[in-house]
Amino acid sequence: MPSTTDDVVATLAEHAAALDETHAATDRRDRFALPDGVVYLDGNSLGALQRHVPAVVADVIRRQWGADLITSWNLHGWWDAPTRVGDRIGRLVGAAPGQVVVGDSTTVALYQSLGAALRMRAGRAVVVTDPASFPTDLYVVAGLAAEHGLEVLTAAPTEVPTVLAGRGDDVAAVVLSHADFRTGELWDLPGITRAAHATGALALWDLSHTAGAVPVDLDEHDVDLAVGCGYKYLCGGPGAPAFTYVAHRHQSAFRPPVQGWNGHAEPFAMGAEHRFADGVARARIGTPPMLSLLALEAALDLFDDLSVEAVRARSLSLTGFLVEALAAVVPEVTVVTPRDAGRRGSHVTVAHPDAYGVVQALIARGVVGDYREPGLVRLGVAAPYLTHAQLLRAVLELRAVLDRGEHRAHRERRTVT
Ligand SMILES: *Cc1c(COP(=O)(O)O)cnc(C)c1O
Protein backbone atom coordinates (compact mmCIF):
# COMPACT_ATOMS: atom_id res chain seq x y z
CA MET A 1 0.00 0.00 0.00
CA PRO A 2 1.53 3.32 -0.99
CA SER A 3 1.84 5.86 1.78
CA THR A 4 -0.59 8.73 1.68
CA THR A 5 0.70 11.65 -0.31
CA ASP A 6 1.67 14.79 1.52
CA ASP A 7 -0.90 16.65 -0.54
CA VAL A 8 -3.78 14.55 0.72
CA VAL A 9 -2.64 14.98 4.31
CA ALA A 10 -2.15 18.73 3.91
CA THR A 11 -5.63 19.14 2.45
CA LEU A 12 -7.17 17.11 5.27
CA ALA A 13 -5.23 19.09 7.87
CA GLU A 14 -6.52 22.35 6.42
CA HIS A 15 -10.04 20.99 6.38
CA ALA A 16 -9.71 19.82 9.99
CA ALA A 17 -8.44 23.23 11.10
CA ALA A 18 -11.32 24.99 9.33
CA LEU A 19 -13.89 22.67 10.89
CA ASP A 20 -12.36 23.10 14.36
CA GLU A 21 -12.67 26.84 13.88
CA THR A 22 -16.31 26.52 12.81
CA HIS A 23 -17.13 24.35 15.83
CA ALA A 24 -15.00 26.24 18.38
CA ALA A 25 -18.03 27.21 20.49
CA THR A 26 -18.78 23.56 21.39
CA ASP A 27 -15.20 22.53 22.20
CA ARG A 28 -15.19 21.53 25.88
CA ARG A 29 -11.72 19.97 26.10
CA ASP A 30 -10.76 22.44 28.83
CA ARG A 31 -13.29 20.85 31.18
CA PHE A 32 -11.67 17.42 30.86
CA ALA A 33 -8.61 15.97 32.52
CA LEU A 34 -7.36 13.94 29.56
CA PRO A 35 -3.67 13.03 29.43
CA ASP A 36 -1.52 15.01 27.00
CA GLY A 37 -0.87 13.33 23.70
CA VAL A 38 -3.78 10.90 23.96
CA VAL A 39 -6.58 10.85 21.40
CA TYR A 40 -9.37 9.27 23.42
CA LEU A 41 -11.79 7.43 21.16
CA ASP A 42 -13.49 5.31 23.78
CA GLY A 43 -15.88 7.80 25.37
CA ASN A 44 -18.69 5.56 24.11
CA SER A 45 -17.49 2.89 26.56
CA LEU A 46 -16.15 4.98 29.44
CA GLY A 47 -16.70 8.72 29.28
CA ALA A 48 -13.70 10.86 30.27
CA LEU A 49 -13.21 12.53 33.64
CA GLN A 50 -14.00 16.23 34.05
CA ARG A 51 -11.61 18.30 36.15
CA HIS A 52 -14.18 19.40 38.72
CA VAL A 53 -15.51 15.93 39.53
CA PRO A 54 -12.77 14.64 41.88
CA ALA A 55 -13.28 17.60 44.25
CA VAL A 56 -17.03 17.03 44.30
CA VAL A 57 -16.56 13.35 45.09
CA ALA A 58 -13.92 14.15 47.71
CA ASP A 59 -16.39 16.52 49.37
CA VAL A 60 -19.09 13.85 49.35
CA ILE A 61 -16.67 11.45 51.00
CA ARG A 62 -14.92 13.73 53.52
CA ARG A 63 -17.58 16.24 54.53
CA GLN A 64 -20.89 14.55 53.75
CA TRP A 65 -20.08 10.95 54.59
CA GLY A 66 -17.18 11.72 56.96
CA ALA A 67 -18.59 14.55 59.06
CA ASP A 68 -22.34 14.72 58.45
CA LEU A 69 -22.70 10.97 58.46
CA ILE A 70 -26.23 9.61 58.28
CA THR A 71 -27.81 13.07 58.38
CA SER A 72 -26.56 13.49 54.80
CA TRP A 73 -29.56 11.50 53.53
CA ASN A 74 -31.68 14.55 54.39
CA LEU A 75 -29.11 17.33 54.71
CA HIS A 76 -27.37 16.77 51.39
CA GLY A 77 -30.33 15.45 49.44
CA TRP A 78 -29.04 11.90 49.14
CA TRP A 79 -32.48 10.36 49.42
CA ASP A 80 -33.91 12.37 46.53
CA ALA A 81 -30.83 12.05 44.34
CA PRO A 82 -32.21 9.23 42.10
CA THR A 83 -35.15 11.35 40.91
CA ARG A 84 -33.23 14.67 41.00
CA VAL A 85 -30.44 13.28 38.80
CA GLY A 86 -33.13 11.48 36.80
CA ASP A 87 -34.75 14.80 35.92
CA ARG A 88 -31.38 16.18 34.81
CA ILE A 89 -30.90 13.20 32.49
CA GLY A 90 -34.53 13.56 31.42
CA ARG A 91 -33.71 16.98 29.96
CA LEU A 92 -31.03 15.32 27.80
CA VAL A 93 -33.36 12.66 26.40
CA GLY A 94 -36.48 14.76 25.88
CA ALA A 95 -38.37 13.69 29.00
CA ALA A 96 -40.37 16.18 31.05
CA PRO A 97 -39.65 16.04 34.82
CA GLY A 98 -40.94 13.13 36.88
CA GLN A 99 -40.29 10.33 34.41
CA VAL A 100 -36.65 9.33 34.92
CA VAL A 101 -34.96 7.67 37.87
CA VAL A 102 -31.31 6.69 38.33
CA GLY A 103 -29.86 3.65 40.09
CA ASP A 104 -28.49 0.14 39.51
CA SER A 105 -26.95 -1.06 36.24
CA THR A 106 -28.40 -0.90 32.74
CA THR A 107 -28.84 -4.67 32.91
CA VAL A 108 -30.95 -4.43 36.06
CA ALA A 109 -32.88 -1.42 34.71
CA LEU A 110 -33.70 -3.38 31.57
CA TYR A 111 -34.82 -6.41 33.58
CA GLN A 112 -37.08 -4.24 35.70
CA SER A 113 -38.55 -2.34 32.75
CA LEU A 114 -39.16 -5.37 30.55
CA GLY A 115 -40.55 -7.29 33.52
CA ALA A 116 -43.01 -4.45 34.14
CA ALA A 117 -43.83 -4.23 30.42
CA LEU A 118 -44.69 -7.94 30.28
CA ARG A 119 -47.07 -7.51 33.20
CA MET A 120 -48.66 -4.54 31.39
CA ARG A 121 -49.17 -6.70 28.29
CA ALA A 122 -50.02 -10.00 29.98
CA GLY A 123 -51.55 -12.53 27.60
CA ARG A 124 -49.34 -11.55 24.66
CA ALA A 125 -46.86 -14.25 23.72
CA VAL A 126 -43.97 -12.55 21.91
CA VAL A 127 -41.05 -10.22 22.60
CA VAL A 128 -39.35 -8.72 19.54
CA THR A 129 -35.69 -7.78 19.64
CA ASP A 130 -32.64 -7.30 17.40
CA PRO A 131 -30.29 -10.33 17.32
CA ALA A 132 -27.34 -7.90 17.05
CA SER A 133 -28.26 -6.18 20.33
CA PHE A 134 -25.67 -5.70 23.07
CA PRO A 135 -25.42 -9.18 24.65
CA THR A 136 -26.66 -8.20 28.10
CA ASP A 137 -29.89 -6.97 26.49
CA LEU A 138 -30.31 -10.30 24.68
CA TYR A 139 -29.63 -12.21 27.89
CA VAL A 140 -32.21 -10.21 29.85
CA VAL A 141 -34.81 -10.66 27.12
CA ALA A 142 -34.10 -14.42 26.92
CA GLY A 143 -34.22 -14.81 30.69
CA LEU A 144 -37.51 -12.99 31.13
CA ALA A 145 -39.06 -14.70 28.10
CA ALA A 146 -38.16 -18.10 29.57
CA GLU A 147 -39.57 -17.08 32.95
CA HIS A 148 -42.87 -15.95 31.37
CA GLY A 149 -43.04 -18.72 28.74
CA LEU A 150 -42.81 -16.26 25.86
CA GLU A 151 -41.33 -16.52 22.39
CA VAL A 152 -38.43 -14.24 21.41
CA LEU A 153 -38.68 -13.13 17.82
CA THR A 154 -35.51 -11.57 16.42
CA ALA A 155 -35.34 -9.18 13.48
CA ALA A 156 -33.06 -6.40 12.31
CA PRO A 157 -34.56 -3.07 13.43
CA THR A 158 -35.33 -2.10 9.82
CA GLU A 159 -37.49 -5.24 9.54
CA VAL A 160 -39.28 -4.80 12.86
CA PRO A 161 -42.27 -2.83 11.51
CA THR A 162 -42.96 -5.62 8.98
CA VAL A 163 -42.56 -8.31 11.63
CA LEU A 164 -44.95 -6.42 13.90
CA ALA A 165 -47.54 -6.07 11.18
CA GLY A 166 -47.31 -9.84 10.60
CA ARG A 167 -47.69 -10.84 14.25
CA GLY A 168 -50.50 -8.42 15.08
CA ASP A 169 -51.58 -8.23 18.68
CA ASP A 170 -49.40 -11.15 19.75
CA VAL A 171 -46.42 -8.92 20.58
CA ALA A 172 -46.03 -7.67 24.14
CA ALA A 173 -42.93 -5.54 23.75
CA VAL A 174 -40.26 -4.44 21.29
CA VAL A 175 -36.83 -4.11 22.91
CA LEU A 176 -34.22 -2.32 20.83
CA SER A 177 -31.13 -0.16 21.15
CA HIS A 178 -31.31 3.31 19.67
CA ALA A 179 -27.86 2.81 18.12
CA ASP A 180 -26.09 -0.43 17.23
CA PHE A 181 -23.18 -0.90 19.64
CA ARG A 182 -21.00 -2.44 16.93
CA THR A 183 -21.63 -0.37 13.80
CA GLY A 184 -22.99 2.83 15.35
CA GLU A 185 -26.03 2.67 13.08
CA LEU A 186 -28.90 4.75 14.41
CA TRP A 187 -32.33 3.15 14.21
CA ASP A 188 -35.66 4.78 13.47
CA LEU A 189 -36.94 5.27 17.03
CA PRO A 190 -40.05 7.30 16.08
CA GLY A 191 -41.11 4.94 13.25
CA ILE A 192 -40.52 1.70 15.17
CA THR A 193 -42.27 3.10 18.24
CA ARG A 194 -45.30 3.98 16.07
CA ALA A 195 -45.25 0.50 14.52
CA ALA A 196 -45.20 -1.07 18.01
CA HIS A 197 -48.12 1.05 19.12
CA ALA A 198 -50.11 0.16 16.00
CA THR A 199 -50.20 -3.44 17.29
CA GLY A 200 -50.65 -2.47 20.93
CA ALA A 201 -47.09 -3.46 21.88
CA LEU A 202 -44.88 -1.41 24.17
CA ALA A 203 -41.61 0.09 22.90
CA LEU A 204 -38.64 -0.23 25.26
CA TRP A 205 -35.51 1.54 24.04
CA ASP A 206 -31.95 1.17 25.29
CA LEU A 207 -30.31 4.58 24.94
CA SER A 208 -26.86 3.54 26.18
CA HIS A 209 -25.18 4.69 22.95
CA THR A 210 -27.21 7.85 22.40
CA ALA A 211 -28.00 9.52 25.75
CA GLY A 212 -25.87 12.67 25.83
CA ALA A 213 -24.81 12.28 22.19
CA VAL A 214 -27.96 12.22 20.06
CA PRO A 215 -31.27 14.00 20.74
CA VAL A 216 -33.85 11.37 21.65
CA ASP A 217 -37.14 13.21 22.33
CA LEU A 218 -38.77 10.41 24.30
CA ASP A 219 -41.93 12.37 25.13
CA GLU A 220 -42.37 13.72 21.63
CA HIS A 221 -42.22 10.24 20.10
CA ASP A 222 -44.49 8.62 22.71
CA VAL A 223 -41.85 6.14 23.81
CA ASP A 224 -43.20 3.92 26.57
CA LEU A 225 -40.09 2.87 28.46
CA ALA A 226 -36.37 3.45 28.12
CA VAL A 227 -33.13 2.70 29.90
CA GLY A 228 -29.57 3.89 29.39
CA CYS A 229 -26.07 3.88 30.66
CA GLY A 230 -24.56 6.53 32.97
CA TYR A 231 -20.88 6.00 32.20
CA LYS A 232 -20.73 6.45 28.42
CA TYR A 233 -21.56 9.84 26.85
CA LEU A 234 -22.95 11.05 30.20
CA CYS A 235 -19.41 10.72 31.65
CA GLY A 236 -20.59 9.49 35.07
CA GLY A 237 -17.50 7.37 35.75
CA PRO A 238 -16.86 3.60 35.83
CA GLY A 239 -19.96 1.76 37.02
CA ALA A 240 -22.05 4.96 37.21
CA PRO A 241 -25.69 4.01 37.73
CA ALA A 242 -28.07 3.67 34.79
CA PHE A 243 -31.35 5.47 34.22
CA THR A 244 -34.91 4.32 33.64
CA TYR A 245 -37.63 6.30 31.85
CA VAL A 246 -41.28 5.47 32.48
CA ALA A 247 -43.72 7.67 30.53
CA HIS A 248 -46.21 9.41 32.82
CA ARG A 249 -49.13 7.53 31.26
CA HIS A 250 -47.67 4.15 32.27
CA GLN A 251 -46.50 4.93 35.76
CA SER A 252 -49.54 3.74 37.70
CA ALA A 253 -49.37 0.35 35.90
CA PHE A 254 -45.57 0.02 36.11
CA ARG A 255 -44.81 -2.84 38.51
CA PRO A 256 -41.23 -4.06 38.14
CA PRO A 257 -40.41 -7.60 39.28
CA VAL A 258 -37.85 -6.64 41.92
CA GLN A 259 -39.83 -4.57 44.39
CA GLY A 260 -37.53 -2.96 46.87
CA TRP A 261 -37.98 -0.67 49.81
CA ASN A 262 -36.64 2.45 48.04
CA GLY A 263 -39.57 2.25 45.62
CA HIS A 264 -42.15 1.88 48.41
CA ALA A 265 -44.85 4.50 48.91
CA GLU A 266 -43.74 4.93 52.53
CA PRO A 267 -40.25 3.49 52.86
CA PHE A 268 -39.82 4.59 56.45
CA ALA A 269 -43.14 3.21 57.61
CA MET A 270 -41.23 -0.08 57.44
CA GLY A 271 -44.43 -1.96 56.66
CA ALA A 272 -44.35 -5.69 56.01
CA GLU A 273 -46.07 -5.40 52.63
CA HIS A 274 -44.80 -3.69 49.52
CA ARG A 275 -46.83 -0.84 48.10
CA PHE A 276 -45.47 1.02 45.07
CA ALA A 277 -44.73 4.73 45.38
CA ASP A 278 -46.62 7.08 43.10
CA GLY A 279 -44.76 8.27 40.04
CA VAL A 280 -41.42 7.17 38.69
CA ALA A 281 -39.99 6.72 42.20
CA ARG A 282 -41.57 3.24 42.09
CA ALA A 283 -38.76 2.27 39.70
CA ARG A 284 -36.27 2.65 42.55
CA ILE A 285 -35.12 -0.61 44.12
CA GLY A 286 -32.61 -0.53 46.98
CA THR A 287 -30.05 1.97 48.22
CA PRO A 288 -28.20 3.31 45.19
CA PRO A 289 -24.38 3.55 44.94
CA MET A 290 -24.33 7.10 46.31
CA LEU A 291 -20.70 7.96 45.51
CA SER A 292 -21.19 6.97 41.88
CA LEU A 293 -24.58 8.62 41.69
CA LEU A 294 -23.21 11.94 42.96
CA ALA A 295 -20.19 11.69 40.65
CA LEU A 296 -22.67 11.28 37.79
CA GLU A 297 -24.63 14.28 38.99
CA ALA A 298 -21.48 16.42 38.95
CA ALA A 299 -20.54 15.12 35.51
CA LEU A 300 -23.89 16.27 34.11
CA ASP A 301 -22.76 19.88 34.68
CA LEU A 302 -21.15 19.40 31.26
CA PHE A 303 -24.57 19.89 29.72
CA ASP A 304 -25.46 23.05 31.67
CA ASP A 305 -24.37 25.24 28.77
CA LEU A 306 -24.16 22.62 26.05
CA SER A 307 -27.36 21.24 24.56
CA VAL A 308 -27.53 17.73 23.17
CA GLU A 309 -28.44 19.32 19.83
CA ALA A 310 -25.14 21.22 19.92
CA VAL A 311 -23.26 18.03 20.87
CA ARG A 312 -24.97 16.27 17.96
CA ALA A 313 -24.00 18.95 15.45
CA ARG A 314 -20.38 18.73 16.63
CA SER A 315 -20.48 14.93 16.61
CA LEU A 316 -21.84 14.72 13.06
CA SER A 317 -19.10 17.03 11.84
CA LEU A 318 -16.46 14.96 13.64
CA THR A 319 -17.72 11.54 12.53
CA GLY A 320 -18.31 12.81 8.99
CA PHE A 321 -14.73 14.08 8.85
CA LEU A 322 -13.44 10.81 10.33
CA VAL A 323 -15.21 8.74 7.67
CA GLU A 324 -13.84 11.05 4.95
CA ALA A 325 -10.27 10.90 6.32
CA LEU A 326 -10.41 7.10 6.64
CA ALA A 327 -11.51 6.80 3.01
CA ALA A 328 -8.70 9.10 1.85
CA VAL A 329 -5.87 7.76 4.00
CA VAL A 330 -6.67 4.09 4.65
CA PRO A 331 -8.86 3.13 1.67
CA GLU A 332 -8.15 -0.58 2.20
CA VAL A 333 -10.17 -0.78 5.43
CA THR A 334 -13.95 -1.04 5.39
CA VAL A 335 -16.00 1.48 7.34
CA VAL A 336 -19.11 -0.39 8.51
CA THR A 337 -20.83 2.72 9.91
CA PRO A 338 -23.40 4.35 7.62
CA ARG A 339 -22.13 7.32 5.62
CA ASP A 340 -25.56 8.91 5.74
CA ALA A 341 -25.39 11.31 8.72
CA GLY A 342 -28.99 10.68 9.72
CA ARG A 343 -28.25 6.97 10.16
CA ARG A 344 -25.10 7.45 12.23
CA GLY A 345 -24.83 7.51 16.00
CA SER A 346 -21.61 8.84 17.53
CA HIS A 347 -19.02 6.18 16.82
CA VAL A 348 -17.33 4.98 13.66
CA THR A 349 -16.40 1.35 13.20
CA VAL A 350 -13.86 -0.13 10.87
CA ALA A 351 -13.55 -3.81 9.93
CA HIS A 352 -10.09 -5.34 9.70
CA PRO A 353 -9.03 -9.00 9.76
CA ASP A 354 -6.58 -8.22 12.55
CA ALA A 355 -8.73 -5.68 14.36
CA TYR A 356 -7.56 -6.63 17.86
CA GLY A 357 -3.94 -6.09 16.87
CA VAL A 358 -4.85 -2.81 15.19
CA VAL A 359 -6.54 -1.53 18.36
CA GLN A 360 -3.59 -2.51 20.55
CA ALA A 361 -1.06 -0.93 18.17
CA LEU A 362 -3.13 2.27 18.06
CA ILE A 363 -3.27 2.37 21.87
CA ALA A 364 0.54 2.05 21.94
CA ARG A 365 0.59 5.17 19.75
CA GLY A 366 -1.75 7.09 22.05
CA VAL A 367 -4.98 6.55 20.10
CA VAL A 368 -7.37 4.76 22.42
CA GLY A 369 -10.29 2.95 20.80
CA ASP A 370 -11.62 -0.52 21.46
CA TYR A 371 -12.04 -3.90 19.85
CA ARG A 372 -15.35 -5.62 19.34
CA GLU A 373 -16.11 -9.06 17.98
CA PRO A 374 -16.12 -9.88 15.15
CA GLY A 375 -13.05 -8.10 13.79
CA LEU A 376 -14.11 -4.53 14.49
CA VAL A 377 -12.12 -1.45 15.49
CA ARG A 378 -14.51 0.90 17.26
CA LEU A 379 -13.68 4.59 17.31
CA GLY A 380 -15.97 6.42 19.72
CA VAL A 381 -16.48 10.11 19.11
CA ALA A 382 -17.51 11.83 22.33
CA ALA A 383 -17.84 15.20 20.68
CA PRO A 384 -17.36 17.63 23.60
CA TYR A 385 -13.73 16.60 24.11
CA LEU A 386 -12.50 15.77 20.61
CA THR A 387 -11.36 17.86 17.64
CA HIS A 388 -11.17 17.22 13.92
CA ALA A 389 -7.40 17.62 14.12
CA GLN A 390 -7.24 14.80 16.69
CA LEU A 391 -9.29 12.54 14.45
CA LEU A 392 -6.89 13.20 11.57
CA ARG A 393 -4.04 12.22 13.86
CA ALA A 394 -5.86 9.00 14.73
CA VAL A 395 -6.27 8.17 11.05
CA LEU A 396 -2.59 8.92 10.32
CA GLU A 397 -1.54 6.70 13.21
CA LEU A 398 -3.74 3.94 11.75
CA ARG A 399 -1.94 4.43 8.40
CA ALA A 400 1.41 4.11 10.18
CA VAL A 401 0.32 0.99 12.11
CA LEU A 402 -0.74 -0.75 8.89
CA ASP A 403 2.30 0.41 6.90
CA ARG A 404 4.67 -0.90 9.54
CA GLY A 405 2.72 -4.06 10.28
CA GLU A 406 2.51 -3.17 13.98
CA HIS A 407 -0.89 -4.85 14.18
CA ARG A 408 0.76 -8.19 13.46
CA ALA A 409 2.82 -8.27 16.64
CA HIS A 410 1.66 -11.22 18.73
CA ARG A 411 -0.44 -10.14 21.64
CA GLU A 412 -2.15 -12.06 24.34
CA ARG A 413 -5.74 -10.99 24.47
CA ARG A 414 -6.63 -9.18 27.70
CA THR A 415 -9.93 -9.73 29.49
CA VAL A 416 -11.38 -6.36 28.54
CA THR A 417 -10.97 -5.64 24.84
C1 LIG B 1 -23.00 -0.34 27.66
C2 LIG B 1 -24.30 -1.04 27.47
C3 LIG B 1 -24.88 -1.76 28.51
C4 LIG B 1 -24.16 -1.88 29.83
O1 LIG B 1 -24.85 -2.60 30.76
P1 LIG B 1 -24.31 -2.63 32.26
O2 LIG B 1 -25.36 -3.35 33.00
O3 LIG B 1 -24.12 -1.21 32.70
O4 LIG B 1 -23.00 -3.34 32.25
C5 LIG B 1 -26.12 -2.33 28.27
N1 LIG B 1 -26.74 -2.22 27.08
C6 LIG B 1 -26.19 -1.54 26.05
C7 LIG B 1 -26.91 -1.42 24.75
C8 LIG B 1 -24.95 -0.95 26.21
O5 LIG B 1 -24.39 -0.29 25.20
Side-chain angles (χ1 to χ4, degrees):
M1 201 69 212
S3 285
T4 317
T5 64
D6 292 348
D7 277 4
V8 170
V9 176
T11 307
L12 284 167
E14 261 173 50
H15 191 196
L19 289 171
D20 281 330
E21 185 79 32
T22 306
H23 291 274
T26 52
D27 181 347
R28 292 293 184 278
R29 274 177 304 160
D30 283 354
R31 291 185 65 91
F32 287 84
L34 286 160
D36 287 338
V38 167
V39 179
Y40 187 60
L41 301 181
D42 218 355
N44 56 324
S45 235
L46 175 63
L49 172 68
Q50 289 166 82
R51 295 182 195 281
H52 72 290
V53 172
V56 173
V57 175
D59 181 67
V60 170
I61 293 174
R62 294 216 177 86
R63 185 173 58 95
Q64 300 186 13
W65 176 16
D68 295 330
L69 293 159
I70 192 117
T71 66
S72 292
W73 285 101
N74 292 314
L75 192 62
H76 299 300
W78 288 3
W79 183 265
D80 295 322
T83 44
R84 180 178 71 242
V85 179
D87 281 344
R88 287 186 72 175
I89 292 174
R91 283 202 288 278
L92 307 177
V93 293
Q99 301 177 100
V100 179
V101 74
V102 179
D104 307 286
S105 65
T106 310
T107 306
V108 171
L110 191 66
Y111 179 81
Q112 291 287 80
S113 292
L114 181 56
L118 297 179
R119 285 175 161 181
M120 287 155 72
R121 288 295 179 271
R124 290 177 174 235
V126 180
V127 179
V128 173
T129 196
D130 174 4
S133 296
F134 189 84
T136 209
D137 297 45
L138 294 175
Y139 305 156
V140 167
V141 169
L144 271 167
E147 210 175 301
H148 289 253
L150 305 179
E151 177 193 350
V152 179
L153 200 57
T154 58
T158 47
E159 300 303 317
V160 164
T162 312
V163 166
L164 285 166
R167 294 301 290 244
D169 57 12
D170 220 14
V171 179
V174 177
V175 183
L176 292 176
S177 284
H178 191 193
D180 186 287
F181 82 103
R182 288 191 183 86
T183 65
E185 181 156 5
L186 194 63
W187 305 117
D188 177 15
L189 177 144
I192 295 170
T193 301
R194 269 196 307 277
H197 291 171
T199 65
L202 294 170
L204 198 179
W205 288 94
D206 187 328
L207 309 177
S208 291
H209 279 278
T210 49
V214 179
V216 186
D217 302 322
L218 291 175
D219 288 348
E220 188 186 325
H221 300 307
D222 283 330
V223 167
D224 302 293
L225 304 166
V227 299
C229 196
Y231 52 80
K232 292 173 179 168
Y233 296 102
L234 298 180
C235 300
F243 64 89
T244 298
Y245 164 87
V246 183
H248 274 309
R249 65 184 180 284
H250 291 309
Q251 289 177 358
S252 59
F254 186 84
R255 292 183 302 121
V258 182
Q259 25 186 59
W261 76 291
N262 278 221
H264 194 282
E266 290 181 279
F268 288 91
M270 299 286 166
E273 277 177 25
H274 188 269
R275 192 154 48 81
F276 280 113
D278 285 337
V280 77
R282 64 176 51 204
R284 296 178 62 165
I285 310 176
T287 305
M290 200 50 68
L291 303 181
S292 288
L293 177 47
L294 297 176
L296 169 62
E297 181 172 35
L300 295 175
D301 290 353
L302 170 65
F303 299 97
D304 283 352
D305 66 350
L306 186 65
S307 68
V308 177
E309 287 71 21
V311 172
R312 175 67 169 162
R314 184 177 180 85
S315 161
L316 283 178
S317 178
L318 289 164
T319 53
F321 175 76
L322 178 54
V323 170
E324 173 195 324
L326 285 164
V329 177
V330 275
E332 74 270 38
V333 303
T334 311
V335 176
V336 300
T337 304
R339 277 177 171 262
D340 172 4
R343 291 175 52 216
R344 195 162 72 223
S346 203
H347 64 270
V348 171
T349 303
V350 164
H352 189 280
D354 197 8
Y356 184 74
V358 169
V359 169
Q360 295 308 310
L362 280 172
I363 291 173
R365 286 174 167 269
V367 176
V368 181
D370 63 21
Y371 170 76
R372 283 295 175 267
E373 288 289 341
L376 300 173
V377 178
R378 213 168 52 151
L379 306 172
V381 179
Y385 48 90
L386 284 170
T387 63
H388 300 80
Q390 286 182 307
L391 294 179
L392 177 56
R393 184 184 142 209
V395 171
L396 295 175
E397 300 285 11
L398 174 58
R399 176 75 276 154
V401 163
L402 298 177
D403 285 346
R404 294 166 199 219
E406 292 168 5
H407 56 294
R408 288 193 209 101
H410 175 74
R411 285 183 192 81
E412 221 167 290
R413 195 155 306 178
R414 313 283 302 269
T415 306
V416 177
T417 62

